[in-house]
């Protein structure tokens, strides 16, 4: 058993799983896949064969049943699979760049169609207040979606860096803990406009700089 964690087009990286689907090792293994298989995406649980002695690349033999599948609509084509077995989608927005409400709604529709829980995440909370009109627009948006029943979280990847920790308020710390608790023991995906800080959030939560920023 394996979990697909990175996709390179013709090859993927896989974490080895135990039969009960728990992670057996943090070491990743590069694999290619049989042509007869459907599209493989990150989050898929698969059956794979280790590489022979004369190779470093394994082979994905089978795709196991998915609990959920997030798809990206495409004009005049079938939707494109993006990620599988996702528990929660976090729609990420920020004061900079300013949020696009129609894009948020598209993400909400995709999540509802896939039957996946969805939340809104405001990043760069430390920039709220720099532009009063944008701040008012964001607060209005978040209030609207909250009234519709979507959980709302506020976070600041910058403010949660150790250099800024001593300036963090109790309220910010509580908001951060709410967000982290919502992630615990689940498989989540961050979606949103370029520049809202998705990679910075990932780097902060993982404690390394695995995702390029800027």
């Amino acid at each position: 058993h394996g979990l697909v964690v990175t996709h390179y087009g013709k090859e993927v990286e896989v974490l080895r799983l135990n039969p009960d689907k728990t992670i057996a090792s943090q070491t990743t293994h590069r694999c290619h896949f049989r042509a007869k298989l459907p599209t493989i995406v990150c989050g898929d649980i698969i059956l794979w064969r280790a590489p022979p002695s004369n190779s470093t690349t394994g082979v994905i033999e089978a795709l196991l049943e998915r609990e959920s599948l997030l798809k990206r609509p495409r004009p005049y084509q079938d939707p494109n699979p993006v990620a599988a077995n996702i528990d929660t989608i976090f729609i990420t927005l920020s004061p900079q760049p300013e949020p696009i409400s129609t894009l948020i709604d598209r993400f909400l529709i995709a999540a509802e169609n896939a039957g996946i829980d969805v939340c809104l995440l405001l990043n760069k909370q430390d920039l709220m207040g720099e532009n009063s009109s944008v701040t008012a627009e964001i607060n209005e948006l978040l209030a609207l979606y909250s009234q519709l029943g979507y959980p709302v979280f506020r976070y600041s990847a910058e403010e949660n860096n150790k250099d800024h920790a001593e300036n963090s308020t109790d309220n910010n710390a509580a908001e951060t803990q709410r967000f982290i608790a919502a992630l615990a023991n689940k498989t989540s995906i961050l979606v949103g406009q370029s520049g809202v800080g998705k990679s910075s959030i990932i780097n902060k939560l993982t404690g390394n700089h695995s995702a390029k920023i800027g």
Side-chain angles (χ1 to χ4, degrees):
H1 290 78
L3 171 66
V4 177
V5 293
T6 314
H7 205 298
Y8 295 108
K10 294 184 178 180
E11 294 183 348
V12 296
E13 284 190 351
V14 171
L15 281 177
R16 185 165 61 86
L17 300 180
N18 296 310
D20 64 357
K21 311 297 175 58
T22 57
I23 295 175
S25 170
Q26 292 292 340
T27 301
T28 59
H29 305 268
R30 186 67 69 96
C31 294
H32 62 84
F33 31 83
R34 302 291 189 196
K36 65 181 180 180
L37 293 175
T39 302
I40 302 293
V41 295
C42 288
D44 272 330
I45 297 177
I46 48 86
L47 297 177
W48 65 288
R49 186 185 303 276
S53 57
N54 62 345
S55 174
T56 59
T57 307
V59 181
I60 294 178
E61 300 282 1
L63 170 65
L64 301 189
E65 183 178 359
R66 293 161 166 161
E67 295 182 2
S68 66
L69 179 63
L70 179 63
K71 299 179 180 180
R72 178 186 292 114
R74 297 184 293 178
Y76 314 113
Q77 300 181 66
D78 291 335
N80 186 36
V82 175
N85 301 312
I86 300 297
D87 297 312
T88 310
I89 297 171
F90 284 87
I91 302 174
T92 311
L93 60 151
S94 71
Q96 300 176 9
E98 297 178 23
I100 301 173
S101 59
T102 53
L103 182 60
I104 295 173
D105 291 340
R106 287 175 61 190
F107 284 129
L108 289 172
I109 291 168
E112 295 287 355
N113 285 339
I116 302 173
D117 290 340
V118 59
C119 305
L120 275 79
L121 172 64
L122 173 63
N123 188 34
K124 304 184 184 180
Q125 168 72 14
D126 52 302
L127 299 182
M128 290 286 281
E130 291 191 357
N131 184 317
S132 58
S133 62
V134 173
T135 298
E137 178 189 356
I138 290 176
N139 286 330
E140 185 177 341
L141 275 175
L142 295 182
L144 170 63
Y145 291 120
S146 180
Q147 290 169 10
L148 291 172
Y150 294 109
V152 172
F153 298 87
R154 295 172 183 258
Y155 188 75
S156 172
E158 177 70 17
E159 205 166 70
N160 278 280
N161 286 335
K162 63 181 181 180
D163 294 339
H164 298 264
E166 61 186 31
N167 296 323
S168 180
T169 66
D170 290 342
N171 185 56
N172 289 338
E175 280 291 313
T176 296
Q177 290 306 312
R178 280 186 64 239
F179 173 48
I180 292 175
L183 294 170
N185 302 314
K186 293 182 179 179
T187 301
S188 303
I189 184 171
L190 300 178
V191 301
Q193 295 166 249
S194 177
V196 295
K198 301 183 296 293
S199 296
S200 295
I201 294 172
I202 290 170
N203 287 341
K204 176 57 189 173
L205 294 175
T206 59
N208 59 45
H209 296 284
S210 57
K212 294 181 180 179
I213 62 174

